[in-house]
Amino acid sequence: MCNSQIDVGVAAYADDVAAVGPAASRELIEDLVIANHILFDQGIVDAFGHVSVRHDQNPDRFLLTRNMAPATVSADDIVEFLLDGTPVNAAGRAVYLERFIHGEIYKARPDVQAIVHSHSPSVLPFSVSQRTRLRPICHMSGFLGGGTPVFEIREAAGDGTDLLICNQGLGAALAQRLGKSSVVLMRGHGSTVVGPSLKHAVYRAVYAEVNARLQVDALRLGEVTYLSDKEAETAQRHIETQIDRPWEMWKKRVQ
């Protein structure tokens, strides 16, 4: 079972990290705050869930907010972490228990620059379905590929856990199940979405939820024709050149 969250104070981010290495850019910190607000506005996170970004001056660190509801995040709430989950500048602030999701994926996937973990309501049922995988049914969701893998925590930690990724071992097991995919479902828990930028990760988290809703609607009508692997690859490559369009729209909504 997971231990309680460690207590690790409130000061400006740049002041906190001055003695431990170069601070992340102001733009990156601002975008991380905005990402939290967008994900709440789009219904991907509620009081729970989190988004991180790899440090733009030190790839062996990442930024994640302190333990709080995403909609209430400000720049002063950003905490820097080592990839093993150790907070660098928490200074008395409680940190997310599941920070190991982020650190272990960054370790395993040098290409990943941002991660969203959520319990988005339309995606979660696919984590427990024995018959139907989450697969792309529209061109906006080509990043789902041939179908999303599912992480079964019982295989890594046995029965009786609280389903949370509360240590490095479980984080590493989740990263292994993610493999080269953009999304991994977590049985009875939610999903984790990765991307080559913060904008990509937010886009994919939003459109994973959109695809899940559309897929459920389509299944009610009968047999579904999904995107082929080649269609998904081509659609992703082309559509994701337009990431700035939804980002700027979502950003304007929350500002």
Side-chain angles (χ1 to χ4, degrees):
M1 299 296 288
C2 297
N3 295 324
S4 60
Q5 294 151 345
I6 65 171
D7 288 329
V8 282
V10 176
Y13 168 82
D15 292 339
D16 282 348
V17 301
V20 294
S25 68
R26 179 177 296 275
E27 180 182 12
L28 188 67
I29 294 168
E30 291 175 350
D31 280 350
L32 183 55
V33 172
I34 290 166
N36 276 273
H37 297 173
I38 288 172
L39 290 166
F40 173 74
D41 181 65
Q42 293 297 310
I44 307 306
V45 299
D46 47 22
F48 301 93
H50 27 89
V51 53
S52 71
V53 66
R54 196 187 289 268
H55 198 299
D56 59 351
Q57 305 299 316
N58 187 343
D60 292 329
R61 296 183 179 184
F62 65 95
L63 307 180
L64 181 68
T65 65
R66 65 182 177 88
N67 182 23
M68 65 188 304
T72 62
V73 167
S74 72
D76 287 344
D77 299 310
I78 305 302
V79 179
E80 185 175 315
F81 293 86
L82 304 180
L83 296 189
D84 65 3
T86 301
V88 173
N89 63 322
R93 292 171 288 184
V95 297
Y96 287 119
L97 181 65
E98 292 193 290
R99 61 196 181 278
F100 303 105
I101 291 174
H102 305 267
E104 294 302 317
I105 290 177
Y106 288 128
K107 279 186 195 177
R109 292 277 300 272
D111 60 306
V112 169
Q113 299 300 311
I115 300 169
V116 176
H117 169 62
S118 77
H119 315 138
S120 60
S122 300
V123 171
L124 196 150
F126 285 93
S127 76
V128 297
S129 173
Q130 298 295 312
R131 298 178 55 186
T132 306
R133 298 180 69 191
L134 182 63
R135 297 174 58 187
I137 69 165
C138 70
H139 66 300
M140 303 299 289
S141 304
F143 60 87
L144 292 173
T148 51
V150 179
F151 174 69
E152 173 52 79
I153 196 169
R154 292 173 187 164
E155 295 175 358
D159 197 4
T161 72
D162 52 13
L163 303 170
L164 301 179
I165 306 301
C166 56
N167 57 53
Q168 286 182 260
L170 289 174
L174 177 66
Q176 183 177 31
R177 188 68 182 117
L178 170 68
K180 296 181 179 180
S181 299
S182 298
V183 181
V184 60
L185 305 185
M186 304 156 76
R187 195 264 306 160
H189 183 169
S191 66
T192 296
V193 180
V194 305
S197 74
L198 188 56
K199 295 176 183 179
H200 280 81
V202 170
Y203 169 89
R204 290 174 180 178
V206 171
Y207 276 95
E209 173 70 12
V210 169
N211 191 93
R213 292 198 303 265
L214 295 174
Q215 188 173 348
V216 169
D217 286 344
L219 287 166
R220 293 192 183 104
L221 300 177
E223 188 174 351
V224 174
T225 300
Y226 296 97
L227 270 65
S228 69
D229 289 349
K230 289 184 177 180
E231 287 174 331
E233 180 183 357
T234 303
Q236 178 185 353
R237 186 169 63 251
H238 290 171
I239 297 299
E240 291 193 354
T241 64
Q242 304 298 311
I243 289 292
D244 283 340
R245 188 193 300 187
W247 174 267
E248 291 302 323
M249 179 185 70
W250 295 330
K251 179 178 176 179
K252 188 173 183 178
R253 278 179 54 91
V254 301
Q255 286 184 324

